[in-house]
Amino acid sequence: MQGKIIKGIAGFYYVYAEETDTIYECKAKGIFRNRKVKPLVGDMVAIEVLDAAQATGSITEILPRKNELIRPASANVDQAMVIFAATNPEPNFHLLDRFLVMMDYQNVPTVICFNKEDLIGAEEKERLREIYAGADCQIVFTSTYEKTGIDKVCAILEDKTTVLAGPSGVGKSSMTNLLLSDARMETGGISKIGRGRHTTRHSEIFHISGRSYLMDTPGFTSMNLPELEKEDLRFYFPEFEPLEGSCRFNGCVHMNEPDCAVKAAVSDGKIHKMRYESYTTMYQELKEQKKY
Ligand code: GDP
Ligand code: ZN
């Protein structure tokens, strides 16, 4: 039988098999230890059922992975959705930008969700849209209070495995609960997977419906940068891309060089100042790291 690892705790893997609509508590066979591969949440695996009544089994094989994320440790992720509050607390744009770089580095497309849209007006919404207009990610506004934008979120999640991430206080739990309760009402399936304890300590995948899975991750307060050469950071800012080759110097990193097309675009307001500031801060950080 085949299934998907939805959770891993203390040597046990919980494998959801569509075929029987059951979660099996599995151990991984010794062969994995010898081959130095570790099953990951999100992995598609082959299992041998040991006891059907007790729903226990053994993982015999990890099927080929589409991708593998270091952070959060997972496999076969299609996309990420990062939640920030539109206000209260104010979005930490720099933190958001670091998340975007991290995901892009891992080739995972990201959707930005600004929650608590009930607290902001049309003007502020427009401002948020403008900041990320060139960042090559979809933006969605929601309110878990007024249940606005939730249909859009559901459409985004459809048939995909999505990592849900965000700092705390932004409404991530409210969103997860909302999505899972919708799923429960529609399919009656999710309750079997359960919601676990209140705080998210381990990454865990929830089966929303059909082929939609949501991976809840612990709230983050900081985000490391991937191990990048500082000269390569610019490739993780999609708004710079159309200007590549337009600066006076070949290989311009858009910092202190004269006649820099990117800096000109920032001055003209074609690239948002906030995004460029994030870039220079990260660039400086990568430069400092290399010194040690
Ligand atoms: P988490 O820490 O990201 O999991 O966020 P919670 O779901 O616990 O919500 C944090 C706080 O924001 C709580 O006080 C919620 O009541 C509030 N909150 C969540 N969603 C919304 C929303 O859409 N609008 C408003 N105004 N407040 C919200
Ligand atoms: Zn330049």
Side-chain angles (χ1 to χ4, degrees):
M1 191 159 3
Q2 290 186 0
K4 190 179 181 86
I5 300 180
I6 55 165
K7 181 161 71 169
I9 296 176
F12 284 99
Y13 297 95
Y14 295 84
V15 177
Y16 173 69
E18 245 180 41
E19 197 181 316
T20 50
D21 194 23
T22 302
I23 297 161
Y24 295 90
E25 186 182 77
C26 299
K27 285 217 163 205
K29 281 205 161 173
I31 44 168
F32 298 118
R33 237 163 292 137
N34 307 333
R35 279 194 283 150
K36 283 185 184 157
V37 283
K38 224 183 132 209
L40 290 171
V41 170
D43 261 328
M44 290 300 299
V45 293
I47 63 167
E48 194 183 285
V49 176
L50 298 176
D51 184 330
Q54 296 293 315
T56 57
S58 180
I59 297 175
T60 56
E61 192 188 346
I62 301 173
L63 305 186
R65 286 172 182 157
K66 182 189 145 178
N67 62 14
E68 199 179 308
L69 264 64
I70 309 160
R71 191 192 159 136
S74 53
N76 302 321
V77 164
D78 296 308
Q79 62 184 0
M81 185 157 92
V82 63
I83 305 192
F84 275 77
T87 187
N88 193 20
E90 283 305 296
N92 180 337
F93 295 110
H94 186 68
L95 185 60
L96 171 50
D97 292 344
R98 295 174 78 95
F99 185 86
L100 297 182
V101 169
M102 193 45 144
M103 286 300 139
D104 192 11
Y105 180 76
Q106 302 182 101
N107 291 314
V108 175
T110 301
V111 177
I112 303 173
C113 173
F114 286 115
N115 188 38
K116 309 197 187 184
E117 72 163 332
D118 52 289
L119 299 178
I120 58 164
E123 226 167 88
E124 180 60 8
K125 224 184 248 186
E126 194 46 40
R127 186 180 81 98
L128 293 171
R129 271 194 203 286
E130 270 167 18
I131 297 174
Y132 289 96
D136 202 20
C137 30
Q138 196 180 342
I139 297 176
V140 59
F141 288 91
T142 60
S143 165
T144 64
Y145 273 16
E146 296 180 348
K147 300 205 167 120
T148 49
I150 308 300
D151 289 353
K152 247 186 230 153
V153 169
C154 288
I156 288 164
L157 301 182
E158 198 169 347
D159 291 340
K160 297 212 161 103
T161 295
T162 306
V163 165
L164 189 65
S168 51
V170 301
K172 191 160 73 70
S173 322
S174 309
M175 180 66 80
T176 315
N177 288 332
L178 196 61
L179 293 170
L180 294 183
S181 65
D182 277 2
R184 189 178 303 143
M185 281 187 293
E186 277 170 27
T187 68
I190 196 68
S191 52
K192 281 187 241 99
I193 297 186
R195 186 68 182 89
R197 304 212 194 263
H198 296 298
T199 44
T200 315
R201 282 219 197 79
H202 306 273
S203 296
E204 181 168 358
I205 287 189
F206 298 101
H207 178 221
I208 298 186
S209 66
R211 301 205 169 272
S212 309
Y213 290 89
L214 188 66
M215 180 166 162
D216 201 6
T217 64
F220 62 86
T221 48
S222 64
M223 178 63 51
N224 286 332
L225 287 177
E227 281 184 35
L228 277 176
E229 295 299 328
K230 60 185 187 313
E231 290 78 15
D232 290 337
L233 180 64
R234 67 182 195 275
F235 302 122
Y236 295 87
F237 282 76
E239 41 276 86
F240 300 173
E241 215 167 275
L243 298 171
E244 193 62 35
S246 308
C247 304
R248 190 207 295 187
F249 293 106
N250 243 341
C252 181
V253 295
H254 322 313
M255 291 291 290
N256 301 308
E257 300 93 333
D259 292 329
C260 168
V262 166
K263 279 194 287 177
V266 175
S267 299
D268 294 349
K270 288 185 187 118
I271 289 175
H272 204 282
K273 211 172 110 248
M274 208 93 82
R275 290 276 294 160
Y276 180 68
E277 273 171 20
S278 276
Y279 171 76
T280 57
T281 306
M282 287 184 223
Y283 184 92
Q284 215 56 47
E285 187 180 318
L286 291 172
K287 194 172 160 184
E288 296 292 318
Q289 275 173 10
K290 279 285 162 186
K291 281 189 192 157
Y292 306 109

